[in-house]
């Protein structure tokens, strides 16, 4: 059974940091690109950061460049999103998803076939 389970969300003050984890099971992680997406109340889902199968290519939304870092450890079947200098506008439910892209790291959501249940990130003082 394919599963993606996000963890690491929570409440943090502006300027703080969180590290999200996406634990994969039921499939071979290094056959898939992985993306992090988020959805805030009343807003459309957006791609935050995505990483290719090998980890050699990454992609970031302009709003998080320089603050967020995506990485993967295929041996541990886990993908991470390190989030620094968090802002209130980063508040959202964060989801990870897998994509069978051959070489790329596109964050186009139509390319992603399995999604996790999400983890809430709240940035507030």
């Amino acid at each position: 059974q394919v599963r993606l389970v996000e963890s690491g969300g929570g409440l943090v003050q502006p300027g703080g940091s969180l590290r999200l984890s996406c634990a994969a099971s039921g499939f071979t992680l290094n056959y898939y690109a992985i993306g992090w997406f988020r959805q805030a109340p009343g807003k459309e889902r957006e791609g935050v950061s995505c990483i290719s199968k090998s980890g050699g290519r990454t992609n970031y939304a302009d709003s998080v460049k320089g603050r967020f870092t995506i990485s993967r450890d295929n041996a541990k079947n886990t993908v991470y999103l390190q989030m620094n200098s968090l802002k209130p506008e980063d508040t959202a439910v964060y989801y990870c998803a897998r994509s069978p892209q051959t070489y790329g790291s596109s964050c186009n959501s139509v390319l992603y076939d399995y999604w996790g249940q999400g983890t809430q990130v709240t940035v507030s003082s």
Side-chain angles (χ1 to χ4, degrees), residues 35-103:
W36 284 98
F37 298 79
R38 67 186 180 187
Q39 188 165 21
K43 294 188 176 181
E44 293 188 355
R45 182 175 57 196
E46 64 170 336
V48 175
S49 182
C50 302
I51 189 167
S52 61
K53 293 191 294 186
S54 68
R57 295 186 180 186
T58 58
N59 202 348
Y60 294 92
D62 288 342
S63 59
V64 307
K65 282 180 182 176
R67 300 189 297 122
F68 290 11
T69 303
I70 191 170
S71 62
R72 63 190 295 159
D73 186 338
N74 288 337
K76 294 184 178 180
N77 292 324
T78 303
V79 177
Y80 305 97
L81 185 68
Q82 178 67 43
M83 306 188 296
N84 298 329
S85 302
L86 282 161
K87 304 176 181 180
E89 51 263 43
D90 294 317
T91 296
V93 178
Y94 284 70
Y95 303 87
C96 64
R98 74 168 197 181
S99 169
Q101 299 177 58
T102 304
Y103 299 111

Side-chain angles (χ1 to χ4, degrees), residues 21-44:
S21 297
C22 172
S25 61
F27 66 100
T28 303
L29 183 64
N30 60 4
Y31 288 179
Y32 293 86
I34 299 293
W36 284 98
F37 298 79
R38 67 186 180 187
Q39 188 165 21
K43 294 188 176 181
E44 293 188 355

